[in-house]
Structure formats: C-alpha cells, structure tokens
Amino acid sequence: HLKGTCMQVFTDEFSWLLEGLPTYTLLHEKGMRLYNLGALKHAEQFLQLPATTGNADAQFALADIIEHTPSENSNQITTLKQQIERILQIDRPGEFYSQLVARATQLIETLEDNQKARYMPLYEASAEQGNIDAMLRLRGDAWEASAHRQLESGVRNHDPEAILNMYALTRDLAWLKHAAATGHAIAQYLLATLYDKDPALVTDGADPRDTVYELITRSANGGYPPAMYWYANHIENRNNFAFIQQWRIREAQAGSINAVQRYGLALTGMDSDETHNDTLSGSEADYVKGYALLWLVHQIKGRGHNPYSIPDKLAHIESELSTEQIAAAKRAAHEWHQQYPLLSEFRLRTCLR
C-alpha cells in the first residue's frame, strides 16, 4: 500500500521533477529531492520505507522533518506554554494556580517525550551508520567523540567538507576560517554572515565590510546560490542592472528554486515601470519565459507559505497569452528542467545554523 501511495504522488504531482529517473531508482533519492526543495510533507511519503529499511540519509531527513514539522503534540505544547505564561503573570497566583502550572508542566514533559520518541530513534539509527549530521544533532560526549574520529582522516587530508564539519562539531571559528580558505563556498558564505552580524570577529585589521564583500564574491563565484543573491543585491552593485541581471540568471541556473521564482516574477512585471521592465534589475518583460519559470515553481507542492500567490500570477499571465504561447512556455519549463541542475532551496544544514 505504501508503494502505491508513493507512485500515486509520483504520477500525479511530481512526474516532471522525477522524469528521466529509471523506474528502479531508490525511493530515498526521490524523497531527498523533495526534502531539498522544502516539500516536506511529500518527501515524508517517499522517505518512510527507505528509513525503515536502514537508509541513513533517509533516516536523518525523516527525523528532521518529524522534529521540525508542527504536529498535534507540538501545537498542544505551545498552547500549554502560553497558558503557563499567562498564569505566571497573575499577581500572587495561589495554590490552585500553582497546581495548574505543575500539571501543565508535567503534561508538556510527557508530550515532548512522546514527540522525541518519534524522531530520536531515527537520528540514532542514522548516526550508528556514520551519518555525521545525525551525530551532530544528537551531541553528547559519545557521539561527539565518534564524529571527531570519523573526521580525523579528512582533516589530515585537508578535505574542505571535513574541515567545515569540524566547525559544526566544535563551533571554533578557526575551523570555519580554515574551510573558507580552502575555497569551500558554503563556508565562505557562512563566515560572511557571521562577520556581517558581528564585525568585531574580523581581527586582522581589515575593514569588516571589505572582508564580507570579498567572502561573498568568492562564494558566489564558487557557485553557492545564497551568496549569488547576496552578491547581486550588495549595496556596491545597486543600480548596476547588467550585473544584477547576470547574477540573477546565474543563481536561477544554479538550481535555486527561490531564484527561479524571483526571475520569473521579474520577467512578468512584479516590480515594473510603465514600459513593463523590472525596476529592481532592469530586466525586460518576457511573459512567455516568465510564465515558464513560475509554472515550474508552481509544480512543486507542499513547500509551505509563499508570500506571492503564484497560482493567481499564472492566471493573470494566462489572460495575456495565447494558447500557443502557454504551450510554448510549458515546453520551455521542461527544457529548463532538463538543462539546469535539480531545483533546491539550498538550506544550510541544521548543524551549521
């Protein structure tokens, strides 16, 4: 029954995303695609079986989804905590209210234990197979020691990913600087965000603003989409429309679903002047291409709240296009999907946040 459910989702909603995959492709690969897109509800359906049969990546992703997705338990916990907060604001609450707080606190502990029982075994099973993210999530002396042993070889060989993981393990900024110096684009971006928040961390006498700009420049050129977005929108590049357009396009072509959406909105007049050109990037209106990109984004269900109503935007554009233009736009969407990397949100790993 589970297999049939997964294939139904595959056939009805995600065939464009998964096209080109052989029929024997493991469910966890499909689930991980959806997980990386933020379509967590649908990813969960694909990940259940491989997690149950011992796939470490699926176990970690499924645990992460369960832990961070609101549930009936978590909603109850939030409500109880709010009630406790209100009671504690009462002047001299008395014995009756004190007992209420005690009972509510005990219930919260029970609900939290029940919630943890759903995801902690998955983290543990994943960590036992060597998943470094699971080890870093579990923490504790034993798991941290295991993670350290696992990273030793990579660190000795100057592997950038191992060095970045040492930062995740220790939170020692020296490891992050080391990873950034090796050219790790995510490390460069993360270091830039830390320097941007706290310029005092820049201790070499350089202007922190210059250091941040240098790091995001290197990260963007290293292919990391969040850095590309920051680089394109940096104050030094404001009103340089040719530059902004170049990096908006590169970010979208690198597979960022948010960039694809922004580019599609720019081409369809989201922030347009009287000539229908985008005022933020100078992009000329192209409703067919813009529709193609927004249609591609709209095919991904279950990503949560979107501040832009893409269905309404598509409906409006359709009223401006002919049937032939709409068909051409959908063909262009499939061509984009085939030509460029898989779409992703490029979320920072939990252990790096």
Side-chain angles (χ1 to χ4, degrees):
H1 179 69
L2 177 61
K3 183 178 180 182
T5 301
C6 291
M7 291 308 296
Q8 187 66 37
V9 173
F10 167 74
T11 302
D12 292 349
E13 294 183 355
F14 297 106
S15 57
W16 69 273
L17 174 67
L18 307 172
E19 64 188 14
L21 288 175
T23 55
Y24 54 79
T25 298
L26 296 177
L27 286 175
H28 93 270
E29 291 184 33
K30 299 169 184 176
M32 293 305 294
R33 288 191 181 191
L34 296 169
Y35 173 71
N36 290 332
L37 280 163
L40 304 182
K41 195 77 173 176
H42 294 295
E44 188 174 352
Q45 297 180 57
F46 286 97
L47 294 170
Q48 290 279 2
L49 184 58
T52 301
T53 55
N55 182 278
D57 291 339
Q59 288 167 339
F60 176 82
L62 184 58
D64 187 46
I65 291 170
I66 294 170
E67 181 179 10
H68 296 106
T69 300
S71 65
E72 186 177 340
N73 269 2
S74 59
N75 292 337
Q76 281 184 271
I77 291 168
T78 300
T79 301
L80 287 166
K81 287 181 176 179
Q82 290 170 346
Q83 291 173 350
I84 290 173
E85 186 69 27
R86 285 195 292 270
I87 290 172
L88 293 177
Q89 290 173 358
I90 298 173
D91 186 34
R92 299 178 185 175
E95 182 66 22
F96 172 72
Y97 287 113
S98 297
Q99 289 176 0
L100 279 181
V101 169
R103 285 200 295 270
T105 301
Q106 187 175 14
L107 182 54
I108 287 171
E109 290 175 359
T110 300
L111 290 169
E112 287 177 338
D113 287 344
N114 290 343
Q115 183 72 356
K116 286 180 180 178
R118 296 182 61 217
Y119 61 78
M120 288 300 283
L122 288 165
Y123 282 131
E124 289 164 358
S126 181
E128 285 166 2
Q129 295 187 75
N131 185 293
I132 197 74
D133 287 270
M135 293 180 192
L136 294 173
R137 164 61 185 84
L138 291 168
R139 291 290 175 174
D141 292 344
W143 286 119
E144 289 179 14
S146 294
H148 196 281
R149 285 194 300 272
Q150 188 165 310
L151 294 172
E152 282 178 350
S153 173
V155 170
R156 280 198 305 272
N157 293 320
H158 308 288
D159 174 56
E161 191 69 22
I163 295 167
L164 179 59
N165 283 333
M166 281 299 296
Y167 165 72
L169 174 62
T170 65
R171 290 290 160 164
D172 182 343
L173 198 63
W175 287 112
L176 184 59
K177 291 178 181 179
H178 188 181
T182 67
H184 196 297
I186 296 175
Q188 291 163 343
Y189 171 82
L190 185 55
L191 187 58
T193 64
L194 295 179
Y195 285 162
D196 190 52
K197 290 176 184 173
D198 185 2
L201 293 174
V202 181
T203 57
D204 61 0
D207 186 326
R209 290 170 297 184
D210 293 341
T211 302
V212 168
Y213 189 65
E214 179 186 349
L215 284 165
I216 63 170
T217 301
R218 288 163 58 197
S219 182
N221 282 290
Y224 189 52
M228 294 180 186
Y229 176 74
W230 192 355
Y231 186 42
N233 291 281
H234 197 274
I235 190 167
E236 293 190 19
N237 303 318
R238 193 167 294 168
N239 298 323
N240 185 346
F241 285 164
F243 180 88
I244 294 170
Q245 286 176 37
Q246 173 194 353
W247 281 98
R248 274 197 172 188
I249 293 169
R250 284 184 66 174
E251 184 191 359
Q253 290 174 342
S256 167
I257 187 170
N258 296 318
V260 169
Q261 176 172 296
R262 281 192 293 268
Y263 188 28
L265 289 170
L267 294 175
T268 54
M270 184 65 196
D271 297 290
S272 61
D273 57 19
E274 62 278 0
T275 62
H276 303 290
N277 294 332
D278 182 60
T279 56
L280 299 180
S281 67
S283 298
E284 295 183 3
D286 185 338
Y287 274 34
V288 173
K289 187 171 185 178
Y291 182 96
L293 297 174
L294 294 178
W295 183 86
L296 196 60
V297 170
H298 182 54
Q299 302 315 298
I300 301 161
K301 316 300 181 185
R303 288 188 65 228
H305 175 68
N306 190 329
Y308 302 100
S309 178
I310 301 302
D312 291 345
K313 185 68 176 174
L314 288 171
H316 172 72
I317 301 169
E318 284 175 0
S319 69
E320 305 281 337
L321 300 177
S322 68
T323 303
E324 291 76 15
Q325 286 175 313
I326 293 171
K330 291 182 179 179
R331 286 195 299 273
H334 282 283
E335 289 168 5
W336 179 285
H337 166 60
Q338 292 167 358
Q339 185 174 357
Y340 297 112
L342 291 172
L343 294 178
S344 171
E345 286 189 331
F346 289 95
R347 299 189 304 279
L348 272 177
R349 292 160 56 201
T350 305
C351 61
L352 294 173
R353 294 174 200 164

